[in-house]
């Protein structure tokens, strides 16, 4: 059976996973009467809820005697480390572009990596049934993008198809409105070369993805680079410098069939497989026959740019809502995560009750916190901070991001002003049609922490912001943080409507009537820059006199309830987010007001 290995790359929400669903259905991978969830490849709960792909996943379909191995890749920049490694496993890519939005930052990032590896993309303009579709302009933008990314003549002569993944048809022209995916299958088989690797050489295999199984231990996934591997064959793992890390046997070999990972007796060059039997080997290691001493060249793993402190929850309500509250449980869970997610680095504090978790961005760490929360963990999370570096001259450097913003023309000046305050530099500004403007900035990551919520308010929810790690550049100096102070509860008890009514005049409340509060908990945002301690439990003094009814019913505005990401982005350096399976609360790091004053004086003196 002939073989093709392809990856599907696109910006977040341009329809990759839906396209793979149709490839499954139309290749006969699913039976006619089989019940399959929509977006079957997004198997995790968070992937389904957020509609994004977080983990790259291999799968395969058969079409007219050809096995097509497909890898659905993450479309968000925080998970970009996975994308780079995956491209080294495949011989072709399908570049999927939305017919209205056109190429976006993540498209540029991944396409650049694919072109640099010499891959020849098949361009699929998706969602052509959209009312605002502009397929021909989008195609011109893709061509310009390829030119800017130094594509060679062969890569510039790319085949183009027009599709509606949701409706299940592909055609050669933008006016296609029926049919099936046959043109895409034919193009994959005709355009993507076979792996063409040496089946007779010694077995070699580069680890691209890492997974964990409760029964089998580490499961290493990648493409067999040369030779053949059989079950129980002696193998060893080599690092990039050729040092042997460990030796063992290939206890299990798995191949991909549709959505399933099925055990096989042997695999040969070109096959994408998973392999069990080793306990230390990780991503970017070479697994090989014991006679091999030279490692396969691997993409280096991107350095983390952001870190957060994960601490044991020490609030007065600790242990009431979660089942996993000790530092040992948190430690074991974080180190297990670092084992399978190579983009995350964990450092334990000296007192053993907190951990510094470094990753690629707010979304990646937010996904980890949300996952742990659902598993029953209680945590105290600090404000994210960027990881600084130094250049060759010893000067301080910090991470920068390319920020592409699509916004209605009327809000463009507000966005430019706010980005300037965050020390961003505008690199491009152009009309994108339909009364919208596309603005590109180079901005320090530090200035973007917490901006997204403000951005949505400024653009009335219509703006779209996309970010991508760009480089480490010179330190930009002080960047102004949150302008408002907070309202802090001065005691413990339940929030009372009589007390909350007057507090609404002071700012925006984050708690409702009857909510349990504790001293040092943040209950709202102050309208002024300073913090204010208030009493939200104060009840009405009882007398024999009846009022004329004007204060019988106090009407309160619904409280401002933040999502996890909003809360993490909102807090200041002296604040924390208390995360439990049932609640997200904001609090001061030091709950006692005297201790807060002492620490603030010590910080000012320092």
């Amino acid at each position: 059976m002939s073989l093709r290995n392809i990856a599907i790359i696109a910006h977040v929400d341009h329809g990759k996973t839906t396209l793979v669903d149709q490839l499954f259905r139309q290749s006969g991978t699913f039976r006619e009467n089989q019940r399959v969830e929509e977006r079957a490849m997004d198997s995790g709960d968070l992937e389904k809820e957020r509609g994004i792909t977080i983990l790259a996943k291999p799968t395969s379909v058969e079409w007219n005697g050809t096995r097509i191995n497909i890898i659905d890749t993450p479309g968000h920049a925080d998970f970009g480390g996975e994308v780079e490694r995956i491209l080294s496993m495949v011989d072709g890519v399908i570049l999927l572009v939305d017919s209205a939005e056109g190429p976006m930052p993540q498209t540029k990032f991944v396409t650049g990596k694919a072109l640099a590896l010499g891959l020849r993309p098949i361009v699929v303009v998706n969602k052509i049934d959209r009312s605002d579709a502009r397929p021909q302009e989008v195609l011109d933008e893709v061509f310009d993008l390829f030119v800017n990314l130094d594509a060679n003549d062969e890569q510039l002569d790319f085949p183009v198809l027009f599709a509606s993944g949701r409706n299940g048809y592909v055609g050669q022209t933008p006016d296609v409105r029926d049919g099936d995916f046959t043109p895409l299958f034919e193009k994959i088989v005709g355009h993507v070369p076979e792996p063409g690797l040496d089946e007779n050489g010694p077995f070699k295999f580069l680890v691209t993805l890492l997974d964990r199984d409760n029964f089998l231990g580490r499961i290493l996934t990648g493409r067999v680079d040369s030779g053949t591997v059989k079950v129980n064959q002696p193998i060893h793992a080599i690092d990039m410098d050729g040092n042997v890390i460990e030796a063992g046997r290939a206890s299990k070999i798995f191949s991909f069939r549709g959505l399933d990972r099925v055990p096989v007796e042997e695999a040969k060059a070109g096959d994408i497989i998973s392999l069990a039997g080793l306990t230390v080997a990780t991503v970017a290691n070479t697994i090989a026959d014991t006679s091999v001493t030279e490692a396969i060249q691997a993409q280096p793993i991107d350095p983390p740019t952001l870190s957060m402190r994960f601490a044991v929850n020490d609030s007065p309500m600790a242990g009431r809502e979660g089942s996993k509250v000790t530092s040992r449980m948190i430690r074991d869970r974080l180190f297990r995560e670092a084992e399978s997610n190579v983009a995350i680095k964990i450092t334990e504090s000296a007192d053993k009750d907190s951990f510094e978790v470094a990753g690629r961005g707010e979304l990646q760490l937010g996904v980890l916190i949300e996952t742990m929360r659902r598993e029953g963990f209680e945590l105290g999370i600090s404000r994210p901070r960027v990881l600084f570096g130094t250049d060759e001259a010893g000067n301080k450097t910090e991470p920068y991001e390319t920020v592409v913003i699509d916004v209605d023309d009327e809000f463009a000046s507000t966005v430019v002003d706010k980005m300037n305050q965050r020390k961003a530099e505008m690199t491009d500004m152009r009309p994108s049609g339909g009364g919208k403007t596309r603005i590109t900035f180079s901005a320090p990551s530090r200035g973007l922490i917490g901006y997204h919520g403000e951005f949505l308010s400024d653009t009335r929810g219509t703006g779209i912001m996309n970010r991508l790690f760009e480089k480490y550049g010179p330190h930009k100096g002080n960047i102004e943080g949150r302008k408002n102070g907070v309202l802090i509860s001065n005691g413990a008890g339940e929030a009372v409507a009589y007390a909350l009514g007057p507090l609404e005049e002071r700012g925006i409340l984050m708690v409702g009537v009857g909510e349990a509060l504790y001293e040092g908990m943040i209950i709202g945002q102050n309208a002024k820059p300073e913090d204010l301690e208030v009493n939200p439990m104060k009840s009405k003094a009882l007398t024999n006199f009846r009022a004329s009814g004007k204060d019988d019913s106090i009407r309160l505005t619904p409280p401002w309830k933040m999502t996890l990401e909003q809360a993490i982005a909102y807090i200041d350096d002296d604040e924390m987010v208390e995360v439990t399976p049932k609640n997200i609360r904001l609090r001061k790091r030091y709950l006692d007001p005297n201790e807060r004053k002492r620490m603030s004086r010590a910080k000012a003196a320092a």
Side-chain angles (χ1 to χ4, degrees), residues 406-408 411 436 452-464:
D406 286 291
V407 68
D408 290 347
F411 304 125
K436 286 188 175 290
H452 195 252
E454 196 178 324
F455 167 75
L456 289 176
S457 301
D458 290 344
T459 61
R460 303 210 185 128
T462 60
I464 298 169

Side-chain angles (χ1 to χ4, degrees), residues 168-393:
Y169 55 77
V170 173
Q172 308 278 354
T173 57
D175 53 7
V176 63
R177 288 296 179 272
D178 57 14
D180 58 18
F181 265 41
T182 302
L184 182 56
F185 283 117
E186 288 173 345
K187 195 60 76 180
I188 291 168
V189 175
H191 184 75
V192 178
E194 288 205 51
L197 299 168
D198 179 13
E199 289 183 22
N200 301 316
F203 165 64
K204 275 201 286 192
F205 160 94
L206 182 69
V207 181
T208 312
L209 299 169
L210 183 63
D211 199 3
R212 188 171 179 79
D213 185 281
N214 291 337
F215 302 104
L216 299 169
R218 286 191 170 211
I219 294 182
L220 311 164
T221 300
R223 180 177 69 168
V224 181
D225 213 56
S226 74
T228 304
V229 61
K230 295 187 170 138
V231 172
N232 280 330
Q233 179 178 324
I235 51 173
H236 65 194
I238 315 169
D239 66 15
M240 286 191 191
D241 302 322
N243 306 313
V244 175
I245 302 163
E246 68 168 323
R249 289 180 180 275
S251 60
K252 283 271 186 188
I253 301 168
F254 297 95
S255 184
F256 295 91
R257 299 287 182 269
L259 289 170
D260 301 322
R261 198 157 54 186
V262 297
V264 293
E265 286 302 307
E266 68 169 23
K268 60 181 191 298
D271 288 341
I272 292 175
I273 59 162
S274 293
L275 184 141
L278 297 175
T279 56
V280 183
T282 185
V283 167
N285 289 163
T286 300
I287 313 298
D289 188 83
T290 48
S291 63
V292 174
T293 55
E294 207 171 300
I296 302 168
Q297 276 309 106
Q299 284 274 355
I301 293 156
D302 285 334
T305 56
L306 198 75
S307 81
M308 289 183 200
R309 185 169 155 269
F310 285 44
V312 172
N313 183 17
D314 61 356
S315 90
M317 294 187 192
R320 294 188 194 177
E321 296 169 2
S323 55
K324 298 171 183 173
V325 295
T326 66
S327 61
R328 184 183 58 78
M329 286 174 166
I330 295 169
R331 180 186 187 280
D332 291 349
R333 177 65 180 84
L334 288 175
F335 278 98
R336 198 164 74 243
E337 181 70 25
E339 200 174 282
S340 60
N341 187 345
V342 291
I344 279 179
K345 299 277 179 288
I346 315 288
T347 316
E348 199 167 356
S349 69
D351 57 8
K352 305 282 187 194
D353 71 345
S354 69
F355 306 86
E356 200 73 26
V357 182
R360 295 285 301 156
E362 287 164 81
L363 177 68
Q364 187 192 33
L365 295 177
V367 164
L368 171 59
I369 297 165
E370 183 63 40
T371 306
M372 289 177 69
R373 177 187 173 205
R374 292 179 184 203
E375 291 169 3
F377 282 90
E378 288 194 9
L379 300 162
I381 305 292
S382 76
R383 176 177 166 82
R385 61 182 187 84
V386 302
L387 299 173
F388 297 108
T390 50
D391 61 14
E392 287 146 14

Side-chain angles (χ1 to χ4, degrees), residues 14 96-101 123-136 138-139 160-178:
H14 279 200
L96 201 62
V97 187
D98 187 297
S99 65
E101 291 185 4
V123 175
V124 177
V125 180
N126 194 27
K127 304 189 185 182
I128 54 165
D129 52 333
R130 281 182 65 153
S131 57
D132 56 349
R134 45 185 194 97
Q136 206 51 56
V138 165
L139 206 52
V160 182
L161 293 168
F162 299 89
S164 170
R166 190 177 56 188
N167 296 317
Y169 55 77
V170 173
Q172 308 278 354
T173 57
D175 53 7
V176 63
R177 288 296 179 272
D178 57 14

